[in-house]
Amino acid sequence: MYSPLDILSLETWILLGTAFLVARYYVNRQFQILKKCNIPHEPMSIMKLASLIKDRKKPDGYFTKTLEIKEKYGRIYGYYVGLNIRVMIYDPEILKQIQIKESGIFRDRRHTFTRCAGKEMNTSLTAAKGNHWKRIRTTISPMFSIAKIKEMFVLVENCTDKMVETLNEISTNDKGLFLPKDVLHKLSLDVICSSAFNVDMHTQESKTEELQMLKMGRKLFDIQVVGSVLLGMFVLFPSLERIAELVNYSLFPADSIKYFAGLVDAVIKNKDYDKSRADLMTLMLKAKISEKKAKTAEKGLTRNEIVGNSIQMILAGFETTGNTMLFVIYNLAIYKDAQKKARQEVKEVVEKHEGLTYEAIMSLKYVTQCINETLRLYPAIVVNSRYCEKEVTIQGVTIPKDCHIEIHNYAFGRDEEYWENPTLFNPDRMEDMSKINPIVFQPFGAGPRNCIGMRFAMIEMKMAISKILLNFELDTCPDTPKPPIDITFKASVQPKEKIPLKIRRLKSSE
Ligand code: HEM
């Protein structure tokens, strides 16, 4: 008969026992934090964890869950994911403090998935933290100033002209029947690639879905089985991400990253590169500094940061803008009065400004209302986040250190407390933005960490929609789903099913 001492020595057993007790103490202490802070929550259990994973796998359930939680627990609710604490804050006043007034304590978005994207993507704006983020943001922000966007305007114009050509062909050859997603995704990829890299990828001319750029862009979000398992592990045990960083592991498909990094490196190595170009890449290259200098500098970007942030612009700007335009077009095809009103406005503005100039685009009021109303119903980012760097009490609520704050954009947009008949598309409610709480409606986020590409995205969307309205009548077809459409979340909010629509070329008299 063996005794435990035959397997391991007494000292080893004591060591293991102590380690077990310390781990247990730590876990127990962690699971007491929400209780200590008086934040309503359900006690941690394996069963709860399983139901949480199930909810997230079923996006519709996840979308509607927030309002159910509000009903049951109120505006503050906490839960544990592994050892991590998440606090859903649904109170606009507290969120205002978090995102704006106390943004120094809540500088970062989240501390998960920030070290597992490879050495370049780990330095992207969305992943970067603290002072590292500040240096990158300070360097990139001027690249999205009004002056720079005006310089990039012509690139957007060229891409939207090509979209009109594509739609023209569809209206004559395919009886006007089309899938707007294909056209608008190619457009948004074309726009972001020409303004990020100043390269014409001929994205829109190609008829094939297998187009390399589009394929690689979409593949970036195609995380495989191993990646999904690791993703789960990183959620439960964030410290594992340090190992991922050490071995330069990337959750993103290696060939996609290699493809986009190759594009950037080709520009860096090209000695004949025209440095007077207006694209983001040229502007970033002008700010290039060494790794050594980056340790103390307040401005500038290293080679890895340039590669990572160029790819980031594609990731952050491609699907968000493409899908939002898709939802706008869908709404305008369904709600004919809104379409008529928006078209009338575009015509008047074009006449006044003698074309779709920058000033003309900026003066479009009703088209902007249509985009905003669409973003209320279908915000590209369903749940946004902030990381709490130190314990703080805001309006009597103690927020624990190291927890993730959840900001539920989708739920805010569908909440009867803030919107009458919330599922109805009604651009008129966006007429006077001073009456709308910018925390309740924040499709581009809020505070210093908001969307850096907001102005650019709005101009691109307004330009594309205006050109569609000027040239085509949008209509539904028998297969078009009725509103409200079922949505899902992958990189950004998107329709679950295909949305076919019909277009007809307008006569010059119309
Ligand atoms: C309809 C289009 C878009 C929507 C709805 C959208 C929405 C958002 C949201 C909600 C955030 C988080 C903001 C926060 O945490 O407060 C964000 C961040 C970001 N967006 Fe956008 N976005 C769009 C288009 C774009 C475009 C076109 C670009 C680039 C050209 C872009 C680049 C970024 C970047 C780099 C960040 C991270 C900023 C940081 O952490 O400092 N986005 N976006």
Side-chain angles (χ1 to χ4, degrees), residues 109 125-126 133 137 144 192 312-313 316-317 320-321 324 375 380-381 384 386 443-446 449-453 456-457 461:
R109 196 161 294 109
L125 262 181
T126 36
W133 165 78
R137 178 89 189 204
F144 285 93
I192 200 69
Q312 158 88 92
M313 293 305 158
T320 46
T321 317
T324 305
L375 281 167
I381 309 297
N384 199 357
R386 288 293 182 270
F444 293 97
R449 192 108 201 201
N450 71 351
C451 173
I452 201 168
F456 183 78
M461 293 190 291

Side-chain angles (χ1 to χ4, degrees), residues 3 13 24 87 122 137 140 166 168 202 249 309 312 323 358 388-389 409 426 461 464 491:
S3 89
W13 280 116
R24 211 188 132 175
V87 180
N122 283 348
R137 178 89 189 204
I140 298 183
T166 310
N168 256 334
H202 303 286
Y249 170 78
N309 281 288
Q312 158 88 92
N323 286 329
Y358 176 83
C388 179
E389 276 174 36
N409 285 340
N426 173 14
M461 293 190 291

Side-chain angles (χ1 to χ4, degrees), residues 263-277 281-282 285 288:
L263 280 180
V264 182
D265 277 334
V267 182
I268 294 179
K269 283 181 194 143
N270 181 2
K271 297 223 171 12
D272 302 326
Y273 187 66
D274 176 3
K275 295 196 173 54
S276 64
R277 286 166 158 187
M281 175 70 172
T282 309
L285 280 174
K288 190 165 176 270

